[in-house]
Every structure is written in C-alpha cells, then in structure tokens.
C-alpha cells in the first residue's frame, strides 16, 4: 500500500513535469533563452525522477505480490498440515469435525450418504512383525488402496489404525443406497475383502483384517456428527464380535451402550459388596466318569439386568483396575468352598491376562492358600494363550513359581491364540484345555477331529494331560474318549452351579436344579 502510494506520487510528479513542459512550450515566445535552457533542464530532471520513482514503486509492488504469494502458500501449507495426517496424507479427525460437515452437506446432502468406520484387525501384530516403519508402509499402501476403491468418497484417518469413509449414494458409486441393508452389507464386504488382500511389506506378504461399522444419512442422524458417532458405535460392536465383522447401526446399540455404562457404574459396588461369586462346573475323568474337580466361574446376578456375562464384567474389571481385588475375593471364596469337598477333588481357577502382569501374583495366591488351608496340589491355575503372549518372560517366571509350590498350571483355550506351539515349547504346563470350538461338530468335521487327535498326541508326547471343553452330546463324549482325551467339561456333565449344588453333586452324583446333565458319580 505504502509502495503503491509512493509509485502514484512519482507518477504524479512525472505528469506534472510533462504538463509543465507543455505550458512552457506555449509561452516560449518572448522568454529569455537562458531561462529556457534552465527550465528544460528542470523539466527533464523532473521527468527522469518521476520515471525512476515509477519504476521503483512498480518493483516494490511486484516484491509485495511475491511476498503475499509466499505467505498464502505458507498459510495453505499450515492449513494442510492442520487438517491432514502427515503419514497417509489423508484428512484427519480435525478435518472431519471442522470442514467435512459443510463439504458433505453440499456434496451429498440431497442424495444421502453412508459412513463406514473401520479398524484394522491385528495391526499391533504387524508392527511387532515388520517393525513400526513396516507398519507405516502398510498404512500408506492401505490409504492408496482405499482411495482407489472409492475415488469420490471422503476418506479420513481417525487414529492409528482407525479410518472413516464417507460415501455419497449415487448410481455410479459403490454406495448406491447405504440405507438398503443388502447394499450396505455388500459395500462392507467389499471393503473387508479389499483390506484382507495381503500387503507386500519388505518382501513379506502381510495380512490384516478389518471390522466395519456402518450408519447412513438421513436414517441414523441428520448431522454428520451424529451419523459418524453411530458408525463408530456400530464399529465397537463389530470389534467385540471378532475379526472381519460388520455391523450396521441399530437403535438397540444405543441401549446396549447404556446397559454397559450402567453395568460399569455398578461394578465397583458389586466388588466392594462381594456380589460377584464363584459357581462351579464339574471337570470329569472321561474314562471313569467321575468328577475330579470343578472350574470356578464368576457369576454376577444384578436386580436390573439379571446374570451378566463374565466375559463382559471381567474385561470391565480389567480396564477399570478392579480385577486384582475381584480375583483375590473369588479365589479366597473358591478355596473356602473347596475345603468342603473330598480331598481328591481339585479346584480350577482362571487368571485374567492383566493379572499375569502383577509380579506379586504368586505371593497373593500362596497367601490365600495359607489363609484358607487349601493344599496347593488341589489348585489348578488356568491361563489363556492370549494372556501369555504379552510378556513371555514374566509369565515363565510366574509359572515356575506356581509349579514350584505344587500348583498345576493349565493352558486354557488351546488353539485359539497366536502362538500355541511356541508357548508349549517355551513354557511348562501340566494340562492343555482344548477349546470348545474344536469340540462342537467334532464328529462330523474331519479337520476338527484331526486337530483334537493331534493335540492329544502332542500333549501325551509332552507328558501332560488334556481336557476337552464344551462337551454337550454323548456322541462328542464317545469320540473324545476314542481320541484318548483324559478329561472333559461341558453342559453334558453340568453347567456351573452354586457351591451348595456342587457339594450335592459330589454327594449324590447329580446336580439338582441345573440344566439336564449327565449323571456323574464322585
Ligand atoms: P473359560 O475359562 O473358557 O470358561 C469356560 C466357559 O465355557 C464358561 O463360560 C462355561 O460356562 C462355558 N461352557 C462350559 N461348558 C460349555 C458347553 O458345553 N457349551 C457351551 N457353549 N459353553 C460351555 P462362562 O462362565 O460364560 O465364562 C466365560 C469366560 O469368562 C471363561 O471362559 C473365562 O475366560 C472368563 N471367566 C469366567 N470366570 C472367570 C473368573 O473368575 N476369572 C477370570 N479371570 N475369568 C473368568
Ligand atoms: Ca477356563
Ligand atoms: Ca476355556
């Protein structure tokens, strides 16, 4: 501005000089010659000053423009950084909050749109396998793959391995009508298949899966914010269902969330009041048909919601830090109950993955055994495979301590984790529990029966016994006996029952008041 005025001033000087020259030309007659030459000099001087000033001002304007251009570029770069993820170059969460609502409203407000929230399965494992830079490469490749999948869609990276896709429902688009369940499912399937295709990272073929949550406008919300919230809620349900799951938002999901929040609020009081108690499911010697022990399974009966699944409240207790207190309480009670059973009847107790991180776990268990008087040889500690992968060294030390004190250690849910065989080679167990997914349909499914047979052979090679979980039918029992499985557990023998019924079961060989179960004798 300042330079513009300056240039204008010099232009005015130049014009004034030209004007003065013209006037003086007219008055030339009769003027003194000396005066003429002086005035000409002044006019030429003024003209030169004007032109130089004009050139100077013009140059300054050009500089200013250039500077402004640089500033605009820097600002747009800063803007890009604010609204994009540096690694994948995709828009980020802030973009979704601040910019996307207007863009989506203009582009898809009239035609409708779907929001797909998705999260990679096993990305943590990828980072462990190919390192963080390998993980970064996968995310970059994935962003490219996704952009090609639906070029018109808005793709946002929400967090480490969480993404969101906003797709308008158009005839040319994959999302022709996201509120049609068939099309929505097809869209989610396509997305899951796309993400399941292996990625070539550092010469290795790396596979991930994905869980998808879908919601659509206007069915599930009128503001983008709400539609996104519903998609993320649907995703959280899909993640609970397991790998490569797809869930479309339903109003019940909100009710489920409200229920979960209510349960989480009540959990602290329930632990403090001792409302969560152990029930006992019989463990049976398959050859003799006798009860050799009970597995303690936590039960919580609430006035409002009835029995809550232990899988739910145990996970909640882990995340809220209540798990140690709860487990100690349950173990103390279970040991007291077991003191009423005959001495040859054992007690199996589940240890949550979180608790394995507690260096004092062994000491806590010994203290409870001391308090209650239960012989360590009667106690079996069940540890799931997934719990052991977190810190194998710590787990190994813990297992050594427990076994050293005479407590048996059982590898639970065998075959469902990542590294069953690796764990068997590094850690020492007294027993393997074959997960019930291998037992259901065992008689008809040749693959399952081969897996069970091999597991039994493997365990026997290692000098340890096996328990088959989830035996529901006589035919399964017969088959498992043929395969050489030593112990069994399942609804065929009885569900988990309260302590007095467990005792009755031991005394009479039948559990009164439970679901129909096979008669077992102690
Ligand atoms: P788990 O350790 O694998 O326990 C066996 C689960 O299988 C129990 O479910 C049991 O009721 C169920 N089950 C037993 N027989 C059958 C059958 O024939 N058919 C079918 N379909 N299911 C059968 P539950 O009681 O719901 O427990 C689920 C999981 O929650 C347990 O799996 C365990 O991981 C965890 N859990 C239960 N109680 C405790 C506890 O006190 N502490 C810890 N840390 N975890 C616990
Ligand atoms: Ca168990
Ligand atoms: Ca199990």
């Amino acid at each position: 501005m300042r330079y513009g005025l300056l240039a204008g001033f010099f232009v005015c000087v130049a014009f004034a000089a030209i004007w003065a020259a013209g006037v003086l030309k007219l008055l030339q007659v009769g003027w003194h010659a000396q005066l003429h030459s002086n005035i000409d000099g002044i006019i030429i001087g003024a003209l030169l000053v004007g032109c130089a000033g004009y050139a100077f001002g013009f140059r300054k304007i050009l500089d200013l423009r250039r500077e402004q251009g640089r500033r605009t570029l820097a600002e747009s770069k800063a803007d890009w950084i604010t609204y994009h993820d540096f690694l994948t170059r995709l828009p980020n969460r802030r973009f979704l909050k601040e910019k996307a609502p207007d863009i989506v409203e203009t582009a898809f407000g009239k035609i409708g749109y779907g929001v797909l929230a998705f999260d990679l399965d096993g990305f943590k494992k990828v980072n462990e396998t190919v390192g963080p830079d390998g993980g970064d490469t996968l995310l970059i490749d994935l962003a490219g793959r996704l952009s090609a999948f639906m070029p018109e869609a808005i793709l946002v990276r929400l967090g480490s391995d969480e993404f969101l896709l906003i797709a308008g429902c158009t005839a040319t688009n994959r999302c022709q009508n996201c509120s049609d369940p068939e099309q929505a499912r097809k869209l989610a399937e396509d997305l899951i298949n796309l993400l399941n295709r292996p990625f070539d990272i550092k010469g290795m073929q790396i596979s991930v899966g994905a869980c998808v949550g879908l919601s659509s406008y206007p069915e599930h919300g009128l503001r983008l914010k709400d539609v996104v919230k519903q998609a993320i809620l649907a995703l959280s349900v899909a993640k609970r269902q397991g790998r490569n799951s797809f869930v479309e938002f339903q109003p019940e999901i909100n009710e489920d969330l409200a229920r979960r929040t209510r349960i989480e609020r009540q959990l602290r009081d329930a632990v403090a009041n001792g409302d969560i108690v152990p029930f006992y499911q019989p463990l049976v010697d398959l050859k003799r048909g006798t009860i050799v022990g009970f597995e303690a399974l936590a039960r919580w009966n609430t006035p409002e919601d009835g029995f809550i699944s232990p899988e739910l409240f145990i996970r909640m207790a882990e995340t809220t830090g209540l798990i140690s207190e709860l487990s100690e309480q349950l173990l103390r009670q279970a040991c007291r109950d077991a003191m009423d059973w005959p001495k040859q009847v054992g007690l199996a107790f589940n240890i949550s993955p979180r608790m394995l991180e507690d260096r004092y776990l062994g000491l806590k268990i010994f203290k409870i055994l001391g308090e209650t008087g239960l012989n360590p040889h009667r106690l079996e500690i069940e540890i799931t495979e997934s719990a052991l992968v977190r810190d194998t060294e710590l787990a190994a030390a813990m297992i050594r301590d427990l076994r050293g004190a005479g407590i048996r250690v059982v590898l639970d849910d065998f075959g469902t984790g990542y590294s069953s065989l690796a764990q068997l080679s590094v850690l020492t167990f007294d027993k393997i529990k074959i997960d019930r997914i291998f037992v259901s349909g065992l008689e008809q499914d040749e693959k399952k029966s081969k897996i069970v047979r091999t597991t039994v052979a493997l365990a026997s090679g290692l000098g340890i016994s096996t328990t088959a979980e989830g035996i529901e039918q006589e035919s399964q029992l017969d088959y498992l006996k043929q395969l050489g499985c030593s112990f069994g557990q399942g609804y065929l023998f009885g569900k988990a029952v309260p302590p007095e019924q467990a005792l009755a079961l031991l005394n009479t060989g039948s559990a009164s008041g439970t679901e129909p179960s096979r008669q077992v004798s102690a």
Side-chain angles (χ1 to χ4, degrees), residues 276-279 281-282 295-299 308-315 318 323 326-327 330-331 349-353 355 382 384 412-413 433 435-436 439 469-473 476 489-496:
I276 302 175
V277 292
F279 273 34
Q281 186 177 33
E295 176 175 4
L297 292 164
R299 293 291 179 263
I308 313 289
S309 154
E311 271 162 11
L312 176 63
F313 66 77
I314 295 284
R315 204 173 315 125
E318 286 182 338
I323 191 66
L326 174 63
S327 296
L330 287 167
L331 180 62
F349 190 82
N350 293 287
I351 285 294
S352 106
M355 288 194 67
E382 298 195 358
T384 59
D412 202 354
D413 300 345
K433 267 190 144 179
D435 194 79
R436 65 171 179 271
V439 174
E469 288 184 324
I471 307 176
E472 294 181 354
Q473 283 145 23
Q476 290 168 340
Q489 177 182 8
Y491 294 167
L492 181 68
F493 307 112
K495 289 189 169 180

Side-chain angles (χ1 to χ4, degrees), residues 84 147 173 208 309 376 417 422 477:
H84 288 78
S147 306
N173 206 327
V208 286
S309 154
L477 173 63

Side-chain angles (χ1 to χ4, degrees), residues 2 97-98 142 149 177 196 213 268 289 306 347 409 464:
R2 199 150 43 92
K97 195 168 165 220
E98 294 174 13
L142 178 131
F149 172 66
N177 178 7
N196 268 276
R268 194 168 291 277
L347 167 70
V409 180
I464 58 180

